[in-house]
Amino acid sequence: MFFSLLRIRFWSLFSQGSRKGASTRRGILLAALYLYLIGCIGLLFYMLFSAICVPFAEMGLGWFYFTLAGLMGFAFSFVGTIFFSQSQLYEARDNQLLLSMPLRPGTILASRMVFLWLMDFAMNLPIWLTAALVYAGKIGLGGFQCLSLTLLALLLPCFSLALSTLAAWGVAKLTRRLGRFRTLMTMALSVAFLLAYLYCYSQIQAILLLLLQNVQLLAGWAMAVAPFYHLGLAGLGNPGSLLLTAAICLVPLLAVGWLLSRTFLSIALSAGQTGRWKERRGPLRVNSLPRALLGRELRR
């Protein structure tokens, strides 16, 4: 049943109510779009990591290289899955339908958390994999370091999932209070995140120059924050740092999972509920057909 629910999550992502043939074409289109985005993101970060890999290693800051890669992957996956988490956990339209079936709420919640983890993993992987491949080509990787990098690729999405789930809860609470304006607020937040990302993308050369000019200072700040420092050491294959990083990634996710398991029923049953508003009647006004259709689309 768990895998059936997980398959439904992916089907809903690709179909969105389309017919069978249309949903297949939509799935192929989305897969091609994802591969295209992987190529674009990979190329962008390949240039960045190629420029800093060897200088960092020569200065003894190989750990800082993997710290930056982890933070960049976290930021990308965190921002990219906030609204996924909101729609899949807090505003899913099939919550009440699934709860009316002989299904355990924990099974429903687990399938959605795994689905969101896969989304986080898919967004984090292009950056982390690019960093690992550049390091392997220019410096080289040992056997245990390859294993450590593989485990970190699986662990880092756990931490971003925990925080994006909490952020999505805040966004859902905020938009739910807005009633009819919740769609407008969600769209505004989405556009704000997109503009922030595009601004950072346009400033990548300036960010790279600033990074190279202040690498010792930034590395000192990162070393003062134990999770950042141990993340970098785990990327180099340090076993103790790998265990500590695993704990830092898994404990918040387990805590969030426990909290959601205690509140999932109330969340699921309240999904889609908005505040009441009174209808105000007035004189009817007749509009032309194009104006009426345009007004309807704007209200949507």
Side-chain angles (χ1 to χ4, degrees):
M1 185 55 67
F2 170 81
F3 292 103
S4 298
L5 290 173
L6 190 60
R7 187 170 62 252
I8 289 173
R9 291 295 97 202
F10 282 101
W11 180 83
S12 64
L13 176 66
F14 291 134
S15 67
Q16 294 292 329
S18 303
R19 297 187 305 273
K20 184 176 181 180
S23 65
T24 302
R25 292 192 296 270
R26 179 186 175 88
I28 295 174
L29 179 62
L30 288 177
L33 178 61
Y34 176 69
L35 292 176
Y36 173 75
L37 290 176
I38 284 180
C40 294
I41 295 169
L43 180 61
L44 170 66
F45 284 97
Y46 175 80
M47 294 187 293
L48 173 63
F49 292 138
S50 296
I52 66 176
C53 181
V54 175
F56 280 22
E58 292 176 348
M59 289 186 290
L61 296 176
W63 66 268
F64 188 51
Y65 171 85
F66 287 108
T67 297
L68 287 176
L71 292 177
M72 291 175 183
F74 164 78
F76 188 73
S77 61
F78 171 76
V79 173
T81 54
I82 287 179
F83 297 103
F84 261 122
S85 300
Q86 179 187 357
S87 62
Q88 294 296 322
L89 289 175
Y90 306 108
E91 296 182 356
R93 298 181 178 180
D94 59 349
N95 278 335
Q96 297 184 11
L97 174 62
L98 293 176
L99 289 174
S100 66
M101 299 179 180
L103 297 173
R104 294 181 179 179
T107 304
I108 301 173
L109 176 62
S111 66
R112 294 188 175 174
M113 293 296 288
V114 171
F115 173 77
L116 292 173
W117 178 86
L118 290 172
M119 294 296 103
D120 269 285
F121 177 76
M123 293 184 181
N124 183 76
L125 183 63
I127 300 174
W128 188 252
L129 180 61
T130 302
L133 291 177
V134 170
Y135 194 89
K138 294 183 177 295
I139 308 298
L141 295 175
F144 186 79
Q145 189 177 5
C146 290
L147 176 62
S148 180
L149 291 174
T150 303
L151 292 176
L152 288 172
L154 300 174
L155 289 170
L156 291 176
C158 296
F159 186 71
S160 60
L161 173 59
L163 295 188
S164 64
T165 300
L166 292 177
W169 175 81
V171 173
K173 294 288 285 187
L174 176 63
T175 56
R176 193 169 295 171
R177 292 179 178 272
L178 297 177
R180 291 184 297 167
F181 302 101
R182 60 191 301 182
T183 303
L184 179 62
M185 184 63 181
T186 301
M187 183 179 68
L189 292 174
S190 303
V191 171
F193 280 124
L194 179 61
L195 291 177
Y197 170 74
L198 292 178
Y199 174 78
C200 294
Y201 181 87
S202 65
Q203 299 296 316
I204 189 66
Q205 293 293 339
I207 293 173
L208 176 59
L209 181 61
L210 181 65
L211 180 61
L212 293 175
Q213 290 176 346
N214 301 276
V215 59
Q216 294 289 354
L217 178 62
L218 294 174
W221 289 348
M223 186 178 292
V225 182
F228 293 169
Y229 181 54
H230 286 285
L231 170 61
L233 292 180
L236 292 177
N238 185 292
S241 296
L242 178 61
L243 291 176
L244 181 60
T245 303
I248 293 173
C249 293
L250 292 176
V251 170
L253 181 61
L254 293 176
V256 170
W258 177 84
L259 181 62
L260 285 175
S261 67
R262 305 284 293 182
T263 59
F264 180 69
L265 279 177
S266 60
I267 292 173
L269 294 176
S270 63
Q273 295 180 3
T274 57
R276 296 181 179 179
W277 58 283
K278 294 182 179 180
E279 181 182 2
R280 291 181 296 180
R281 295 182 179 272
L284 296 178
R285 184 175 58 185
V286 178
N287 291 324
S288 64
L289 182 59
R291 185 172 180 177
L293 291 175
L294 178 61
R296 184 189 67 175
E297 296 305 317
L298 291 176
R299 286 194 298 272
R300 291 180 61 186

